[in-house]
Amino acid sequence: MQHLPLRPGLRSGSGDARDKAMGAGGPVGVHVRVRDVDGHHARAVAHGGEIPTPSADREYGSRGSVAKDAEGDAGTFGPPAPGPAD
């Protein structure tokens, strides 16, 4: 498991669409690593999922999206981090 430092009350802190999509959910967010970000996005849309931020390339070199569950809680989805052999 990887841990990234977060400052209380902030997401990425950039004020971008991901921050807005996460809303006022508090200082904790869930990030799920999926091997096929675009496939996950397509399945979520096909099943009626709310996608406030579609799958896209990010400024830091990754790809990801934001999806909300039936209760309106948002999570981010992105690829696994590269390992030593990658």
Side-chain angles (χ1 to χ4, degrees), residues 1 10 19 38 53 55 57 60 62 86:
M1 176 180 276
L10 296 178
D19 287 350
D38 296 323
T53 305
S55 184
D57 291 329
Y60 45 84
S62 189
D86 293 340

Side-chain angles (χ1 to χ4, degrees), residues 7-82:
R7 290 176 285 164
L10 296 178
R11 298 292 188 257
S12 71
S14 65
D16 64 10
R18 288 169 293 149
D19 287 350
K20 290 175 181 68
M22 295 299 283
V28 177
V30 174
H31 179 75
V32 179
R33 297 191 183 276
V34 294
R35 293 199 186 281
D36 181 4
V37 175
D38 296 323
H40 177 270
H41 172 80
R43 287 187 299 279
V45 169
H47 288 93
E50 183 181 347
I51 312 295
T53 305
S55 184
D57 291 329
R58 303 293 177 212
E59 64 277 1
Y60 45 84
S62 189
R63 188 164 180 80
S65 65
V66 176
K68 289 189 176 185
D69 65 16
E71 289 81 33
D73 297 316
T76 60
F77 296 85

